[in-house]
Amino acid sequence: LDDQRMQVLSVRPPDDRHVALARELGALTLDHLTLVLVSLLLAVAAGLPLGILAARVPRLGQIELISVGMLQTIPALALLCFMIPLFGIGKVPSLAALFLYALLPIVRDVYTGLVGLDRQLLEMAGVLGLGRWQRLRRIELPLASLSIMAGIKTAAVLTVGTATLAAF
């Protein structure tokens, strides 16, 4: 009985098939993470200024939010199919589609965070003599940071889920 237990508990060396599967899984995981990180960084880089612009110019902001919101209504697979004729097959159409999907939560939450600030705090910044950019950098963005980070987190979750379709 002890010999049988020892045989069951002994570790067999992995065969070539298991090694190949492990390598492929690692490569695909790295591709997935790369797609998510690059598209999310691009969406943050574009979404932050777009959200600030939407909060600064209300009329343009409404058009901007509606346009970005309409992109979210297109199914992910259909958006990927639209990108293939433009960019070909590969990582570029996937990055473009993931970037467009990540824009809405970032732009919307930057806009919401900035519009929802207490006007008295902004008036105090004017009294302190802060310029428009100093006020944005030192007061408005830090106060709106919870909302902004919520948008980035939502975009990250959406991007991770949608990036699985990029394997197509």
Side-chain angles (χ1 to χ4, degrees):
L1 188 63
D2 287 332
D3 288 337
Q4 287 178 338
R5 281 189 194 159
M6 291 303 287
Q7 287 177 351
V8 170
L9 294 176
S10 68
V11 177
R12 293 184 207 158
D15 60 355
D16 290 338
R17 188 178 52 166
H18 287 88
V19 172
L21 285 174
R23 283 188 182 142
E24 185 179 6
L25 179 63
L28 291 174
T29 302
L30 187 62
D31 283 348
H32 182 85
L33 288 174
T34 303
L35 283 173
V36 170
L37 288 175
V38 170
S39 62
L40 190 61
L41 287 173
L42 291 172
V44 169
L48 208 63
L50 287 173
I52 292 169
L53 183 65
R56 294 281 187 254
V57 186
R59 204 171 241 179
L60 178 64
Q62 291 305 314
I63 294 169
E64 184 181 307
L65 288 170
I66 289 170
S67 300
V68 174
M70 284 188 339
L71 288 172
Q72 198 76 24
T73 63
I74 301 171
L77 193 55
L79 189 59
L80 278 170
C81 289
F82 287 140
M83 294 297 158
I84 289 174
L86 296 174
F87 301 112
I89 294 178
K91 290 184 181 179
V92 176
S94 301
L95 285 172
L98 293 171
F99 163 76
L100 291 174
Y101 261 104
L103 270 181
L104 176 65
I106 295 171
V107 172
R108 183 188 58 216
D109 285 356
V110 169
Y111 170 81
T112 303
L114 292 175
V115 169
L117 293 177
D118 187 8
R119 293 292 153 213
Q120 289 180 343
L121 291 173
L122 300 179
E123 288 174 14
M124 284 187 243
V127 170
L128 291 173
L130 294 177
R132 190 175 176 121
W133 291 106
Q134 286 179 326
R135 185 179 79 183
L136 177 69
R137 190 179 54 132
R138 291 184 179 177
I139 294 177
E140 293 178 30
L141 288 178
L143 288 175
S145 64
L146 288 177
S147 179
I148 293 168
M149 290 307 293
I152 294 171
K153 184 174 84 170
T154 302
V157 169
L158 284 171
T159 305
V160 167
T162 308
T164 57
L165 293 175
F168 267 147

